[in-house]
Every structure is written in C-alpha cells, then in structure tokens.
Amino acid sequence: MSEFSSRALLERLIGFATASRDSNLELIGFIRDYLAGLGVPCELFHNPEGTKANLFATIGPQDVGGVVLSGHTDVVPVDGQAWTLPPFALTERDGRLYGRGTADMKGFIASVLAAVPAFLAQPLRLPVHLAFSFDEEVGCLGVRSMLAALAQRPHKPRLCLIGEPTELKPVLGHKGKLAMRCEVHGAACHSAYAPYGVNAIEYAAKLIGKLGDIGEALAQPEHHDARFDPPFSTVQTGVINGGRALNIVPEECVFDFEVRALPGFEAQAVADQLQTYAEAELLPRMRKVNTGSAIHLKPLSAYPGLATPADSEAARLVALLSGSDAFGTVAFGTEGGLFDQAGIPTVVCGPGSMDQGHKPDEFVSVEQLQGCDAMLLRLVEYLRRG
C-alpha cells in the first residue's frame, strides 16, 4: 500500500485523539509535515491559547480564486460509548474502516491529502485550497479565524466543498443553529415555607414550557420547507440542572436549549421571544417575593444555515464531481454557512454517512473512500481545464 493512499493516511489520522476538548496540534503537525514533504507550504491559525490550529494551504496559481476543500479535524468524545473496537486505531473488517472520525470526517481529509500528488502533477489553471479546522463539533468555532484572514486577501476562493459525510451525494443546504443557556435565579427557603421563596426550578419549567409552545408554532404547515427533514425549525431543551435537596426551595436552575433554524429564519427570534415572556410574565411575579430574582439568557454558540442555489456555479461543480444533480439537504450543521457568509459559495459532499457519525464503532466503507478518491481526481481535471 502506498504511503500516499487514502487508506494509509486515514490510519494515521485516526491515531490522533482529537476530541474537541483536546489539542489537535499533533495531527496538524503531521499534515504540515506531509505537505512540506511534497513541497506544499501551509499556514497555521492558532487559537488564543496556542493549543489548537487551523491549517490552510494552496496548490496552484496564487493570483486567482480557486476551490476550497474543507474539513474539520476534531471529533466527538468516545466516553461512555460501547465501542467493541479501539476507537483511535483503524480496524478494517468486511469492507469497512472503523475508528472515531472515519466518517465524520477524517475519511474526507485522508482522501484530500492522498490527492495532493495528483494536484501537483498537473498545470492547474485554478488553485485548490486545503482548509482544515478545529472545534467544529462545539459550534463551528475554530474556522472563524481562518475565514477572517481569508477575507483580507485580494483573491478570495470562489467555491468551497465541505466533505462532511453525505454518502457522496450532493448537498446544497442545511439548517443553522443557535445554542443558548438560561440561568434562573430565585430565592431559597425551607420547603415548609415554599410560598416565601422563589422556586427557580418551577420558573425554569415555565420557560421550558414556553419554548415548547414556540416550537409547536414553528412546526405549523405554513412554516414548512419540504427540502428539509424535519421540514421546520425546531426548538429543544437538552440539559437542565437545579436544586440541592427536596426540603430546600431551589435558588438556582440552569438549562440549555437549541434552535435548529431553516435557512431564512432568524433563530435569535426564539431567544428574543423567550426574553420578552420572562420580562413580561415571570420576573414581575418572582420579584414580588424577592427583588433579587433574575433570568439571564446567554449565547453558547451559533452558526448560520446554508441554502446554495441549484443554478449556481458551486452546484454545477458538485454535480460534476459527484455525478449527480439530485441535490439534497442534511439535518446536521456544517461550517458551510460560515463560508457562504464570508462570500464563498459552498456545497457539501463527502464519504460515509452521518448514520455512523458520533456513534460507537463509527466506520466509513472502503467503497465510499475509494469513491471520494475518484471524485477528487475529477476535481483535478476540472481545475486543470479551468
């Protein structure tokens, strides 16, 4: 097996345990050294702590915009999952390659790196840019510094292909996301005198109920977009903490909620509606009992949705590369909305399926990886012809 094959490179990439809570610098160093060995320089964009980095490299002419191949290097943790195979060592069985990140999305990165010699072997009329990010899994946080730097350059990339797992089917859209934390501050007292306290859990429950009402309103048919599944913007509460003992009226309660928003729907409107309800309905009642009561909403993360037109240059390119113009959407988010927001039209197409992502014994099939290799060779020809 060639050291440049996608299979061999994926084996190396899986060996780096790059959960979002950990550094990705060893993996980035491996990619940097691999590219340097092929004569390709790259740039690193570090986080403020210097513990993580994005990597950006260009192959081909520097004076014209080209095509970005984008992937994130972080993976979700394996804690508490019932893996039957080692998550950070590649295992091949029955035509499947197992390991954390094989589908989401080191398989794509491996194919991109394996294609570098083919890109170098051709006189490219348009460049190919490699953009590998950190902290995608925790809110598409890391890529923003790299996009900010690209925005200052005279020749911005003209298109972006994000290789999230779509079974190599062309995807033009996904929902955006807003994640929020709500902190409810009440007043504690002995539960025998409950009316003299402000029960933070009970008021949090009212807020969560209001979110449910908002979600039900968004699910009405007039708000549907049939391109998506589910076909409407969703609201859900995922984490809640509060209370210390049953005989104490709880003083604090904190819960986290998210909005998965259709393109064109402003997710912040949900948080604004909840804030209005808190100020008009709940806080006056809480402060009648204790003037120090409060409700605070704090953003955790957010990224925009993606809705690339089917008649765009980006859509035509992904149709050419994938061999299909049966464009679809995905329920999960990507960095695509941020690239698009930066003025770089974006599509999503990559090997594997998100049905395997984030699960124990995650895998990508050998067939899908080989299909991605073939797709990137078609990109070489596209960039050679211009």
Side-chain angles (χ1 to χ4, degrees):
M1 181 187 303
S2 165
E3 62 179 319
F4 296 140
S5 74
S6 56
R7 167 45 171 96
L9 288 163
L10 180 57
E11 184 168 15
R12 294 296 305 273
L13 296 177
I14 294 304
F16 297 103
T18 53
S20 304
R21 66 192 177 200
D22 300 321
S23 173
N24 74 334
L25 291 184
E26 288 190 10
L27 180 148
I28 290 293
F30 166 75
I31 295 176
R32 179 196 59 210
D33 294 345
Y34 169 83
L35 293 174
L38 294 171
V40 179
C42 65
E43 302 171 77
L44 302 187
F45 301 90
H46 288 85
N47 66 346
E49 297 77 20
T51 57
K52 301 179 183 182
N54 303 303
L55 181 148
F56 188 81
T58 298
I59 301 169
Q62 304 283 325
D63 58 349
V64 63
V67 176
V68 177
L69 299 176
S70 172
H72 62 82
T73 62
D74 59 317
V75 298
V76 296
V78 300
D79 309 59
Q81 293 188 333
W83 283 74
T84 64
L85 298 166
F88 298 111
L90 197 70
T91 302
E92 182 172 356
R93 288 185 181 174
D94 302 321
R96 295 174 173 179
L97 301 170
Y98 291 88
R100 172 57 87 219
T102 48
D104 184 21
M105 57 180 294
K106 292 179 178 179
F108 177 74
I109 295 175
S111 281
V112 170
L113 294 176
V116 169
F119 287 119
L120 290 169
Q122 297 294 331
L124 302 181
R125 296 179 182 271
L126 296 174
V128 61
H129 309 285
L130 313 185
F132 303 138
S133 65
F134 65 90
D135 280 1
E136 187 271 352
E137 295 288 5
V138 289
C140 298
L141 302 180
V143 73
R144 297 167 197 252
S145 61
M146 182 162 51
L147 287 173
L150 294 181
Q152 304 302 314
R153 301 188 176 180
H155 302 289
K156 184 166 57 179
R158 57 196 277 185
L159 302 172
C160 176
L161 171 65
I162 294 182
E164 291 276 10
T166 68
E167 298 181 296
L168 297 174
K169 298 173 183 175
V171 165
L172 302 186
H174 63 71
K175 295 179 180 179
K177 178 182 174 180
L178 172 66
M180 299 286 295
R181 175 161 293 162
C182 182
E183 299 176 349
V184 182
H185 304 276
C189 69
H190 194 291
S191 62
Y193 303 97
Y196 304 127
V198 178
N199 191 313
I201 290 178
E202 291 182 0
Y203 279 98
K206 296 180 191 297
L207 290 160
I208 293 169
K210 181 64 174 178
L211 287 172
D213 293 341
I214 296 171
E216 288 181 9
L218 291 174
Q220 295 305 303
E222 60 266 29
H223 302 303
H224 284 198
D225 184 333
R227 297 174 299 171
F228 293 85
D229 180 21
F232 48 85
S233 300
T234 60
V235 184
Q236 76 102 20
T237 302
V239 178
I240 185 168
N241 289 288
R244 298 185 179 277
L246 185 58
N247 61 353
I248 303 173
V249 170
E251 183 177 15
E252 306 287 341
C253 187
V254 178
F255 65 90
D256 297 345
F257 67 94
E258 68 168 23
V259 184
R260 298 275 180 166
L262 291 170
F265 175 71
E266 181 51 64
Q268 184 60 39
V270 174
D272 293 344
Q273 194 171 344
L274 190 68
Q275 184 72 52
T276 297
Y277 171 70
E279 293 175 358
E281 301 290 336
L282 302 186
L283 284 171
R285 291 153 56 184
M286 297 166 70
R287 287 170 177 167
K288 277 186 178 180
V289 179
N290 184 282
T291 57
S293 299
I295 297 172
H296 299 299
L297 292 178
K298 298 181 178 180
L300 298 176
S301 65
Y303 56 77
L306 178 68
T308 300
D311 60 353
S312 64
E313 181 185 8
R316 290 193 296 272
L317 173 61
V318 76
L320 173 69
L321 298 182
S322 67
S324 171
D325 61 0
F327 301 126
T329 65
V330 290
F332 57 85
T334 78
E335 295 167 337
L338 292 169
F339 275 93
D340 187 70
Q341 203 173 65
I344 306 171
T346 299
V347 292
V348 184
C349 186
S353 170
M354 198 57 83
D355 288 344
Q356 278 75 55
H358 297 202
K359 293 181 180 179
D361 292 345
E362 178 182 349
F363 70 87
V364 66
S365 72
V366 172
E367 181 182 16
Q368 282 280 302
L369 196 64
Q370 291 173 342
C372 188
D373 293 343
M375 181 179 75
L376 293 174
L377 291 180
R378 289 192 286 273
L379 178 62
V380 173
E381 179 62 19
Y382 172 83
L383 296 175
R384 184 183 70 82
R385 290 185 289 105

